[in-house]
Amino acid sequence: MVRGGPRLDHGRRTELGQSFQDGGRHYQRVRPGYPAESARWLVPAGAHDALDVGAGTGKFTALLLAMGLNVTAVDPSADMLAQLKAHCPAATAAPGTAEATGLPDAAFDVVTVAQAWHWCDPLAASTELARVLRPHGTLGLVWNQLDTSIPWVHRLSRIMHAGDVYRPGHKPVVGPEFHGLEGHVTHWQDRVTTGDLMELTKSRSYYLRAGEATRAKVLANLDWYLHEHLAHAPGQELDLPYLTLAWRATKS
């Protein structure tokens, strides 16, 4: 259902993933959260203990906490975890990855991976996350995507190099440790200013890894598109349409 970024080999995945090692404060400020509907759909009835993998600054962690779950959050970036600890103090935060969480066997009822599965080795991650799940536990995968079915948003995504491509027939890869993969789509809008969109672009992996000339070109094109072509005033608020794509699968 989602490409979630380019097709990456291990080296390229690691290189781009390193983009998020720093800049946690900026990421927390400019990246959108997630609709509560997606979390409610993912989390099975009766779940008590949740693990949020690739948790970043805690955007999805906060929803799990709001549902009354005991939440452990792991991320490889100390900078991101510092933000998570500040914004989600009720969560237990620790360094780790989807392929190596460092956590005990069969400790969780649900494991979520929000906006991060495309940075993982899906087969190695599936093996590790199945290990930390209890029998019949749930794996939940989540992505926010710009709603590129809307023409002006599609062009915006191209200028931002956002990589948001919704493909209804496509599913994420999970390992044989899981079965019954099913998907859910939530349509929603985020209220942002044109300045917020400029800052959002700066939080994307393409921009973070680009040279100064490429960065300047991206921002100049975005400035033209928002303020000249679409004729928004600088700082004007607008509703940015999103899709939140969620999948859940059960430990075999």
Side-chain angles (χ1 to χ4, degrees), residues 226-242:
L226 293 172
H227 300 127
E228 295 187 38
H229 183 74
L230 296 179
H232 293 302
Q236 180 179 336
E237 289 190 337
L238 61 150
D239 289 320
L240 182 61
Y242 275 98

Side-chain angles (χ1 to χ4, degrees), residues 80-197:
M80 292 285 187
L81 286 178
Q83 291 295 313
L84 187 146
K85 291 174 183 178
H87 292 276
C88 301
T92 299
T97 68
E99 298 85 355
T101 64
L103 298 170
D105 292 354
F108 302 98
D109 303 303
V110 58
V111 174
T112 59
V113 186
Q115 216 72 23
W117 192 244
H118 52 291
W119 301 125
C120 305
D121 177 329
L123 298 183
S126 292
T127 299
E128 172 66 358
L129 300 184
R131 182 185 66 80
V132 301
L133 276 169
R134 294 175 180 137
H136 312 297
T138 297
L139 172 67
L141 309 178
V142 186
W143 276 273
N144 277 334
Q145 285 200 324
L146 297 174
D147 187 352
T148 56
S149 68
I150 300 170
W152 78 266
V153 180
H154 182 263
R155 188 169 182 182
L156 174 71
S157 74
R158 297 291 296 273
I159 294 171
M160 293 171 65
H161 293 266
D164 295 52
V165 178
Y166 176 45
R167 297 188 292 169
H170 187 71
K171 295 181 179 180
V173 175
V174 298
E177 297 86 356
F178 294 96
H179 71 274
L181 183 69
E182 57 181 335
H184 177 81
V185 180
T186 302
H187 295 257
W188 63 288
Q189 295 183 328
D190 193 27
R191 190 72 172 169
V192 298
T193 67
T194 59
D196 292 334
L197 285 176

Side-chain angles (χ1 to χ4, degrees), residues 38-64:
S38 296
R40 289 194 298 266
W41 181 83
L42 279 179
V43 176
H48 188 257
D49 299 302
L51 171 62
D52 193 20
V53 176
T57 63
K59 296 284 187 176
F60 202 78
T61 308
L63 290 179
L64 299 174

Side-chain angles (χ1 to χ4, degrees), residues 5 8 58 70 93 96 116 125 204 226 239:
L8 303 172
N70 293 328
R204 297 280 186 162
L226 293 172
D239 289 320

